[in-house]
Amino acid sequence: TTQLVGAGDEEEQKTEFGKCIVMFSPKGGIGKTTFAVNLAAVLRELTGKSTVVVDCAYPFGDVGVMLTLEPKRTIVDLLPHINELSGEILESILQTHASGMKVLLAPPTPEETELVTAEHISIVISALRELYEFIIVDTHSSFTEVSIAALDAADLILLLTTLELPALKSVKQFMDTATQKLGYSPEKMALVVNRASAVGGLSLADVETSVGTKVVATVASQGAV
């Protein structure tokens, strides 16, 4: 969080647009949504800067569940206005969490998620950049068109893994695809290890060797917390 705050301050000197941070893991159950909502809450608390969470983990986004927000208004409500996303329209759809951060929830049903396209996501994130200093995006654990649109828009991708071989294999494959096929620079991605307690003899050094990049942060395994 401290690194992101500093990076945000530097970015402010260069541009007036917000910083988009996308959470991604090619394997489910790693903790993406937990990271996304807590990172947003901490950024809001420590900096006082405007922060918004966007749930792009279709078709079953859990941001609303994590934050105990009912999907009274979701991204689907923005679609009729997608070509005229004024600040007033966005604010009328975004929900406010007790922490002070804003939230753009996923559609409540799988059928409605089919209405949201990759182009819609690109437009929405672009519009939010003009209003918010931090845009935190939660994504699905697969290469859906919506996920790729969010990844393309990211200033920083927080790539989440655990100390498990299947997770590391998937992360390595994603890194290769992201750099070789999607054209992302390695600097666009930061590797974070969740539940970073030794499992099966694996260490952080093993992770870095396997994936081919350094671990920028770790979070200990604290299920109760």
Side-chain angles (χ1 to χ4, degrees), residues 30-51:
I30 301 296
K32 282 188 298 78
T33 305
T34 302
F35 259 78
V37 297
N38 281 283
L39 176 61
V42 171
L43 283 171
R44 172 66 183 172
E45 179 182 354
L46 293 185
T47 69
K49 294 181 178 180
S50 55
T51 303

Side-chain angles (χ1 to χ4, degrees), residues 96-113:
T96 304
H97 183 254
S99 63
M101 65 181 174
K102 297 288 187 173
V103 185
L104 182 58
L105 293 177
T109 66
E111 293 78 15
E112 287 180 285
T113 62

Side-chain angles (χ1 to χ4, degrees), residues 2-3 50-51 68 83 102 109 126-127 141 162 164 183 190:
T2 302
Q3 292 175 17
S50 55
T51 303
T68 61
N83 294 317
K102 297 288 187 173
T109 66
S126 180
S141 297
T162 55
E164 298 169 320

Side-chain angles (χ1 to χ4, degrees), residues 130-207:
E130 299 183 21
L131 296 174
Y132 293 90
E133 291 163 287
F134 288 112
I135 302 98
I136 312 299
V137 184
D138 189 25
T139 57
H140 195 275
S141 297
S142 61
F143 275 133
T144 65
E145 291 185 358
V146 165
S147 292
I148 293 175
L151 293 169
D152 285 345
D155 295 299
L156 177 65
I157 299 168
L158 288 184
L159 186 57
L160 204 60
T161 187
T162 55
L163 294 176
E164 298 169 320
L165 287 175
L168 294 177
K169 176 194 70 95
S170 298
V171 166
K172 172 62 174 173
Q173 289 178 333
F174 169 77
M175 291 283 289
D176 292 342
T177 300
T179 54
Q180 297 172 17
K181 296 184 179 180
L182 298 180
Y184 299 164
S185 69
E187 292 74 23
K188 181 172 179 170
M189 296 172 283
L191 185 62
V192 178
V193 177
N194 192 21
R195 300 195 283 273
S197 304
V199 176
L202 293 175
S203 66
L204 294 181
D206 294 327
V207 172

Side-chain angles (χ1 to χ4, degrees), residues 55-69:
D55 191 347
C56 289
Y58 305 157
F60 301 109
D62 289 328
V63 166
V65 173
M66 289 283 187
L67 297 176
T68 61
L69 293 173

